Amino acid sequence: METVTGTVTGTIAEAVAEADWTTIARDMDALGCALTPQVLTPEECAGLSGLYDEAGLFRSTIDMERYRFGRGQYRYFGRPFPPLVEELRAAFYPRLLPIAREWAARLGRPAPWPDDLDEWLDRCHRAGQTRPTPILLRYRDGDWNALHQDLYGDLVFPLQVVISLDRPGEDYTGGEFLLVEQRSRAQSRGTATPLPQGRGLVFTTRDRPVRSARGWSASPVRHGVSVVRSGLRHTLGLVFHDAR
């Protein structure tokens, strides 16, 4: 698996770069998701979750119950993004890129993602995908997120990251991250992951390569959030392609 060097500096970039990406890639191969070490401090998490009520930072707000997406609310950031969001996207993209390219090779698919994130987003924009996709999600007691895929258009980056901004078991209970894989000729498989504060979860956007007797095939995957039993849960979602 090739290594692509990042171009950002600072503590967030260092935290992301120092993660054990060999283990993360192995977990992605096995489960379609993998936890990272802590990439945000509690103070940084509180700062990001506190942005939720600053409506001018966001291009749109989605009430999930209205659209039958579940229950709760999320907001898409508008440009320009808060500095922490920019830093996190710039830090993660080059680390995810080797996994994305390896998976594409296994499935015999093109790997159109350049080394530079801005160049990739420019391609999205030329294809009509111009709306930014970094997202801040808020769940209260009884809220949940239905299983889904964040595709948004024809150009898709196959991996994304969600970062927990609150403390499971203290700030809220329930609200585990859910990943459900549709297996060929078998029952679906679910994976539930509690998200520790400040840590990221890398997961597949739409499918993952699975070895079979006839070679590699794509196993479709959807993600969601289980019911929050109590408290308040915020997460930051990083999707690496823009939307139509």
Side-chain angles (χ1 to χ4, degrees):
M1 189 179 298
E2 65 182 294
T3 298
V4 180
T5 303
T7 59
V8 295
T9 59
T11 57
I12 287 176
E14 291 167 359
V16 172
E18 290 170 3
D20 184 349
W21 284 98
T22 299
T23 298
I24 291 172
R26 183 192 65 206
D27 290 347
M28 292 294 295
D29 284 343
L31 297 173
C33 63
L35 276 168
T36 76
Q38 186 168 353
V39 295
L40 292 177
T41 66
E43 294 76 19
E44 289 168 333
C45 290
L48 283 171
S49 62
L51 298 177
Y52 196 89
D53 294 319
E54 297 187 26
L57 295 175
F58 302 94
R59 67 171 177 83
S60 66
T61 300
I62 304 298
D63 184 322
M64 287 191 272
E65 193 165 20
R66 176 183 175 187
Y67 295 99
R68 305 187 72 180
F69 293 166
R71 201 179 95 176
Q73 193 180 81
Y74 57 85
R75 289 182 150 175
Y76 288 103
F77 281 103
R79 295 186 178 91
F81 305 136
L84 280 178
V85 176
E86 286 279 19
E87 290 178 45
L88 286 162
R89 291 210 314 167
F92 270 107
Y93 179 78
R95 305 296 165 180
L96 302 177
L97 198 51
I99 302 173
R101 289 172 173 168
E102 177 70 17
W103 281 17
R106 291 176 188 173
L107 293 172
R109 293 175 175 172
W113 316 290
D115 291 353
D116 184 74
L117 175 59
D118 288 337
E119 183 181 343
W120 164 241
L121 293 175
D122 284 343
R123 295 185 189 182
C124 290
H125 298 170
R126 292 195 298 271
Q129 295 177 213
T130 58
R131 295 188 296 164
T133 50
I135 185 174
L136 196 57
L137 303 100
R138 171 180 281 178
Y139 299 85
R140 300 184 185 275
D141 184 7
D143 290 349
W144 56 283
N145 195 344
L147 295 173
H148 65 285
Q149 297 173 322
D150 298 317
L151 300 179
Y152 301 130
D154 293 333
L155 297 182
V156 174
F157 191 77
L159 307 174
Q160 56 195 94
V161 179
V162 61
I163 300 172
S164 173
L165 304 179
D166 297 301
R167 299 167 298 175
E170 297 184 54
D171 298 318
Y172 67 92
T173 60
E176 294 85 3
F177 183 90
L178 303 176
L179 205 72
V180 176
E181 178 182 345
Q182 180 182 328
R183 299 186 300 159
S184 177
R185 301 182 183 87
Q187 297 291 331
S188 297
R189 181 181 70 171
T191 301
T193 307
L195 301 181
Q197 185 184 44
R199 294 179 67 178
L201 184 77
V202 181
F203 62 100
T204 178
T205 301
R206 114 182 116 187
D207 54 27
R208 72 182 188 93
V210 176
R211 191 186 292 275
S212 67
R214 293 177 289 180
W216 293 96
S217 61
S219 188
V221 177
R222 296 180 295 161
H223 66 276
V225 175
S226 70
V227 174
V228 173
R229 304 300 182 110
S230 65
L232 187 62
R233 177 189 188 272
H234 295 89
T235 53
L236 173 68
L238 301 175
V239 179
F240 296 90
H241 51 269
D242 281 349
R244 287 192 179 276

